[in-house]
Amino acid sequence: LSAGQLACSETSNANTMASVAMSLKGWVFVVNPASASGATGKKWPKMLQKFKDTASAKSWSDIEEVSVVMTTRPSEATELTRTALREGAAVVVAVGGDGSLAEVVEGFFEPASHNKVSETGMLAYVPNGTGGDFRKSLEWSNNYEEAINNLLKGTTRQVDVGHVLMGHGTLNEVGRHFINISSCGSSALIAQIANSSPNIFGSTITFYQASLRGLLQYQPRTLCIKVDDGEWQEFKDVNCLAVCNGKYFGSGMLVAPKASLSDGLLDVTIWAGFGMLDFVLLSPLIFSGEHIKHEKTTSFQCKTLEVMRAP
């Protein structure tokens, strides 16, 4: 895994930002109407009108030049984003949850490559999903009106993007990019359980219950890990390895409290020998970030990381 950078429209420290022309020409919204259990699709007309009204009030020009494309299937946001950027889009706005954002970010890069589709295209985000973990690193709420106001401040900053190569060096090599967190181990099983579970009591409870079920089912592995240009190290009984650009996953678990979106570093958290009982007892530490001080947590920063299952 390694890191690159992408221009992102959001609010942050003024020293890291630059102004953009107050024109909406070349802005493309990539909307996932199925996100938030279909709520995004129902709210979208109201969201778009709010965006246009706010832009008008802030004296933005070319308001009717805004384009909207809706996704109809998984991974389509990636294709729509690449098409928009190749046709000259200035800003691609992801509308949906963390999964929708991940697909749009992937679209900023050529297929099976770390090369950007456009050197000038920028990413923007209106969060409206289930877990909302990336927005927490931005210190945004789940209120789309807040996100719209942030976008129309007309400021940008550089953010890091991680690059993962799975099956590196083999005929089955697959590359993916991530703007928040990439992980392996029990987290994959937990995400699968959570995504197939009804979200009756909210995302936090859904992910918590999925975590309990996943930890009961998952068999820990021994992993071999190489950090930057260092030596290979062996970690036994690994439950989860998270490589983080953002701070949160699992609907609010503060897995990497020291992570920064723009420091050029990956924050790695490894939980080893971590069973269901540990998760229950240590939940307050996991959600507060204090778990990094626990003996079963290993955390460090790096620029590149290689991981393989022990032979």
Side-chain angles (χ1 to χ4, degrees), residues 20 24 36 59 71 83 100 111 123 161-162 172 202-203 212 237 240 255 286 291 293:
V20 297
L24 295 178
S59 300
T71 63
T83 298
S100 305
L123 169 71
V161 177
N172 297 319
S203 59
L212 295 178
D237 298 322
C240 179
V255 63
I286 294 171
H291 65 90
K293 300 175 183 178

Side-chain angles (χ1 to χ4, degrees), residues 186-232:
S186 61
S187 56
L189 176 59
I190 290 167
Q192 183 180 36
I193 294 171
N195 289 335
S196 61
S197 300
N199 190 29
I200 299 173
F201 301 107
S203 59
T204 300
I205 293 178
T206 297
F207 273 95
Y208 189 88
Q209 292 175 336
S211 297
L212 295 178
R213 291 171 57 192
L215 287 169
L216 276 174
Q217 298 176 35
Y218 186 75
Q219 296 297 317
R221 268 74 163 175
T222 297
L223 299 180
C224 294
I225 298 171
K226 183 179 180 181
V227 180
D228 294 328
D229 295 322
E231 299 295 324
W232 285 95

Side-chain angles (χ1 to χ4, degrees), residues 19-248:
S19 296
V20 297
M22 292 184 66
S23 167
L24 295 178
K25 190 172 184 178
W27 282 54
V28 179
F29 286 82
V30 178
V31 183
N32 178 9
S35 65
S37 301
T40 301
K42 295 175 183 177
K43 290 195 297 186
W44 173 245
K46 184 178 179 180
M47 294 167 72
L48 180 59
Q49 190 59 51
K50 176 64 178 179
F51 178 83
K52 290 182 176 182
D53 291 345
T54 304
S56 177
K58 291 179 178 289
S59 300
W60 282 70
S61 63
D62 304 306
I63 294 174
E64 297 306 320
E65 295 290 321
V66 169
S67 298
V68 178
V69 289
M70 311 286 280
T71 63
T72 60
R73 53 181 169 79
S75 299
E76 189 177 11
T78 299
E79 301 166 15
L80 293 171
T81 298
R82 285 196 185 113
T83 298
L85 291 169
R86 286 170 181 157
E87 293 177 352
V91 179
V92 178
V93 187
V95 182
D98 291 323
S100 305
L101 175 64
E103 288 191 9
V104 168
V105 167
E106 189 63 41
F108 273 79
F109 299 89
E110 296 289 356
S113 170
H114 195 42
N115 297 323
K116 294 179 183 177
V117 174
S118 167
E119 291 297 327
T120 58
M122 293 183 289
L123 169 71
Y125 184 38
V126 177
N128 198 75
T130 303
D133 285 311
F134 183 73
R135 67 171 174 79
K136 294 182 176 74
S137 290
L138 298 175
E139 298 182 353
W140 287 9
S141 71
N142 201 34
N143 185 312
Y144 71 83
E145 294 184 2
E146 177 188 339
I148 287 170
N149 282 320
N150 286 337
L151 296 185
L152 292 173
K153 288 178 180 178
T155 52
T156 67
R157 60 171 289 185
Q158 294 287 321
V159 296
D160 297 329
V161 177
H163 186 215
V164 186
L165 288 175
M166 295 163 282
H168 184 43
T170 72
L171 294 176
N172 297 319
E173 181 176 293
V174 177
R176 291 288 187 273
H177 294 85
F178 65 95
I179 198 170
N180 189 36
I181 291 176
S182 179
S183 64
C184 62
S186 61
S187 56
L189 176 59
I190 290 167
Q192 183 180 36
I193 294 171
N195 289 335
S196 61
S197 300
N199 190 29
I200 299 173
F201 301 107
S203 59
T204 300
I205 293 178
T206 297
F207 273 95
Y208 189 88
Q209 292 175 336
S211 297
L212 295 178
R213 291 171 57 192
L215 287 169
L216 276 174
Q217 298 176 35
Y218 186 75
Q219 296 297 317
R221 268 74 163 175
T222 297
L223 299 180
C224 294
I225 298 171
K226 183 179 180 181
V227 180
D228 294 328
D229 295 322
E231 299 295 324
W232 285 95
Q233 305 172 60
E234 187 176 87
F235 287 78
K236 295 183 178 180
D237 298 322
V238 175
N239 299 92
C240 179
L241 183 151
V243 183
C244 310
N245 186 41
K247 298 174 183 287
Y248 298 87

Side-chain angles (χ1 to χ4, degrees), residues 246-258:
K247 298 174 183 287
Y248 298 87
F249 76 172
S251 193
M253 298 178 191
L254 187 48
V255 63
K258 297 181 180 180

